Amino acid sequence: MVRTLATPDANGEPAKRLALLIDADNAQASVIEALLAEVARFGDAAVRRIYGDFTSPGSAAWKKLLNRHSIKPVQQFAYTTGKNATDSTMIIDAMDLMYTRRFDGFCLVTSDSDFTGLALRLREEGLLVYGFGEQKTPEPFRNACHRFVFTEVLRPANPTVTAAMPAPVSMAKESPPRPAAPDAAAAARPPFPRDFLIQALDGSADDSGWSHLGAFGTYLQKVQPDFDSRLHGFKKLSDLVRAHPELFVTEERPSQGGHKIMYVRAKVHG
């Protein structure tokens, strides 16, 4: 299989050449900038296409962003009510691109389970599949991807509201302060997967019980493609591990390059 080499990444290795396909009917325009930044972590989106009916009022938000981010719109009229012609067009395009043998992987942006078969077919071809969708995305599609990213973690956090003017002076007795409204991202967080993390650590550890943090993270993604430390309030896996000393013991060891590498093992409870 011959593929064109893409621009080298930060390590000097050829970046993976990716095809980014967006289902406009099942994706939010508000996360596009953060989504493109996330895709850039995996490789170079050499193809950027979005599929939908851009004559409909619901696509107005997308139309403002397409030129700015060099995303090619693929217009698809709804032939009949209740039938999603967008899905069919996007799947056909994905197969056409797959047979060019020019790509290392595909980024599928959708919350629709109808793309599960496409993800499986791309994997059978030896291609990487990165999925992006909301937490409502059905589990079969999430698990069909090598990596699945919930778009909720890509949304900008609500800025802290500060008073623009001092509160008016009142002689009346002050009422007790109201509790702060719960953070939307925190409210949407799933339960902390304690048992899953310990089991995954055990699966990635060597005979001494220690696991390289990178190996731990890779194993987590293989077992559960939609695992993301950001869903639990931590930017990186290392931050999550450090924040739970009741579960994990960490150790930094020097590498041949001079920098330190984190190793982790499960804490033994007596």
Side-chain angles (χ1 to χ4, degrees):
M1 183 180 296
V2 179
R3 298 190 182 106
T4 305
L5 294 180
T7 305
D9 62 15
N11 299 318
E13 299 292 332
K16 294 181 178 63
R17 189 177 177 90
L18 305 174
L20 171 63
L21 308 181
I22 304 171
D23 176 9
D25 297 336
N26 287 285
Q28 297 293 324
S30 59
V31 301
I32 187 60
E33 292 185 2
L35 187 145
L36 290 174
E38 189 78 7
V39 169
R41 295 176 53 205
F42 304 127
D44 175 30
V47 167
R48 301 179 180 187
R49 298 180 186 175
I50 184 168
Y51 301 79
D53 183 359
F54 298 101
T55 64
S56 67
S59 299
W62 278 115
K63 289 188 286 187
K64 298 177 182 178
L65 300 171
L66 301 185
N67 285 339
R68 184 190 310 170
H69 298 291
S70 300
I71 301 173
K72 179 182 177 180
V74 179
Q75 170 63 31
Q76 182 59 58
F77 294 100
Y79 296 123
T80 59
T81 303
K83 299 294 183 180
N84 196 339
T86 298
D87 291 4
S88 300
T89 304
M90 183 168 157
I91 291 171
I92 291 170
D93 263 15
M95 298 301 292
D96 287 344
L97 292 169
M98 182 189 78
Y99 284 120
T100 66
R101 313 296 185 194
R102 295 188 293 114
F103 298 93
D104 300 294
F106 282 72
C107 298
L108 305 178
V109 185
T110 181
S111 300
D112 193 337
S113 64
D114 289 347
F115 292 96
T116 302
L118 173 62
L120 292 172
R121 179 64 183 89
L122 294 172
R123 289 188 66 149
E124 289 176 354
E125 196 68 16
L127 298 169
L128 293 167
V129 181
Y130 302 102
F132 300 83
E134 298 177 341
Q135 291 192 37
K136 66 181 182 180
T137 305
E139 188 176 15
F141 176 60
R142 303 201 311 260
N143 290 337
C145 302
H146 288 95
R147 175 76 187 274
F148 188 89
V149 177
F150 290 111
T151 52
E152 283 84 353
V153 304
L154 304 178
R155 293 173 182 167
N158 292 329
T160 302
V161 178
T162 56
M165 297 179 62
V169 177
S170 173
M171 297 302 293
K173 184 178 179 180
E174 294 183 1
S175 59
R178 294 182 180 179
D183 179 75
R189 286 175 192 161
F192 186 74
R194 179 185 184 278
D195 293 340
F196 166 68
L197 289 169
I198 296 300
Q199 292 170 6
L201 179 57
D202 181 65
S204 63
D206 58 21
D207 292 339
S208 67
W210 287 95
S211 175
H212 182 291
L213 184 68
F216 180 32
T218 299
Y219 191 85
L220 284 170
Q221 293 299 327
K222 286 182 178 179
V223 177
Q224 188 172 317
D226 59 4
F227 175 80
D228 194 325
S229 59
R230 291 172 295 185
L231 279 175
H232 305 285
F234 300 95
K235 185 177 180 180
K236 298 180 293 186
L237 179 61
S238 59
D239 296 333
L240 182 151
V241 168
R242 289 192 182 100
H244 289 278
E246 77 282 4
L247 299 178
F248 307 108
V249 177
T250 62
E251 182 179 287
E252 292 189 347
R253 303 176 187 176
S255 67
Q256 294 182 348
H259 61 280
K260 292 184 177 180
I261 299 176
M262 179 184 287
Y263 283 77
V264 58
R265 68 172 173 81
K267 185 173 183 179
V268 178
H269 296 276

